Amino acid sequence: MHIVLVGMMASGKSSIGKVLSKSMNIPFLDVDKEIEFHEKRSIKSIFENSGERYFRKLESKIIIESLEERKSMIIAPGGGAFLNAVVRKNINEESISVWLDVNIETIIARVKKNQNRPLIEKKSDQEIKKIYEKRLKYYEMSKIHIDCNKKTKTECAEEIIFKIKNIGINENN
Ligand code: S3P
């Protein structure tokens, strides 16, 4: 069974995904990196030159195709992917979705350090908060909820493994 990490930008999907991948010995797929590899340009450049619609199409395609792979993977899509109803349905049918819940103050502090997020590039803290609030109801549709506040990435990964075991799915599947 695949594991898909869901959550706002900078919630730790890639870093926790890598830890999880190591501990569970399951390959890790970073969807943004995969998109950049296929397009031979950055996410920022895709947004700027081809627009968000183009990016979302590619993103959905890569996620849906990855979910079709028989061999289990830890998949980390960008924070907007789970908002799409078709993508969300696929994820929830074909994987264990795990929401990495991080408070908005921490998210804002983290995104300010990294200028590579075109969707919020020129946005105020209040605007970023609005995006987050709009998205919460979707993130809450994940199968597993991990409160990542005040936890290290290792602690979050351990909690994910514990919760997966508890819902009766063998991590080696
Ligand atoms: C986005 C999140 C980004 C990236 C793109 C759009 C979003 O990934 O896919 O900039 O809509 O939340 P991260 O969640 O890894 O920052």
Side-chain angles (χ1 to χ4, degrees):
M1 194 75 167
H2 302 297
I3 297 171
V4 176
L5 301 176
V6 171
M8 190 64 176
M9 290 164 239
S11 56
K13 300 182 293 290
S14 299
S15 53
I16 295 170
K18 283 178 199 157
V19 175
L20 206 54
S21 160
K22 240 183 170 177
S23 329
M24 297 178 83
N25 198 23
I26 298 178
F28 174 65
L29 182 87
D30 185 318
V31 175
D32 277 354
K33 288 244 163 73
E34 196 67 17
I35 293 172
E36 289 180 332
F37 175 78
H38 279 286
E39 287 283 303
K40 297 183 180 61
R41 53 187 174 146
S42 67
I43 298 294
K44 195 175 155 93
S45 158
I46 300 172
F47 266 76
E48 280 171 7
N49 300 301
S50 307
E52 184 176 351
R53 251 179 93 107
Y54 179 86
F55 169 79
R56 296 294 175 201
K57 261 192 173 173
L58 266 178
E59 181 181 51
S60 308
K61 185 172 174 277
I62 290 181
I63 296 169
I64 292 169
E65 281 174 4
S66 311
L67 291 166
E68 284 167 2
E69 292 279 327
R70 280 197 56 229
K71 194 156 172 26
S72 292
M73 278 187 289
I74 314 278
I75 304 172
F82 205 61
L83 275 60
N84 176 312
V86 176
V87 173
R88 192 168 60 245
K89 184 168 181 283
N90 266 270
I91 292 177
N92 275 341
E93 281 175 2
E94 305 300 331
S95 80
I96 307 164
S97 50
V98 180
W99 171 31
L100 305 180
D101 182 5
V102 176
N103 69 57
I104 188 60
E105 290 73 24
T106 306
I107 297 285
I108 290 172
R110 286 184 190 168
V111 295
K112 281 200 167 149
K113 286 188 202 153
N114 180 337
Q115 299 303 308
N116 209 16
R117 293 193 166 94
L119 208 69
I120 53 162
E121 215 173 28
K122 294 177 186 93
K123 301 257 191 297
S124 66
D125 292 3
Q126 208 45 42
E127 286 168 318
I128 299 173
K129 196 168 178 200
K130 265 197 183 149
I131 296 177
Y132 168 80
E133 283 163 355
K134 268 194 186 164
R135 289 179 169 192
L136 273 180
K137 63 173 182 288
Y138 300 106
Y139 294 154
E140 282 165 356
M141 293 178 196
S142 304
K143 284 186 196 158
I144 292 179
H145 174 203
I146 306 288
D147 178 351
C148 293
N149 296 295
K150 301 192 189 109
K151 285 179 196 148
T152 64
K153 51 188 179 183
T154 308
E155 285 167 340
C156 293
E158 281 167 358
E159 196 174 320
I160 294 170
I161 296 171
F162 176 79
K163 287 199 172 169
I164 287 174
K165 278 184 182 157
N166 260 7
I167 60 169
I169 295 158
N170 186 328
E171 58 185 272
N172 293 319
N173 277 347

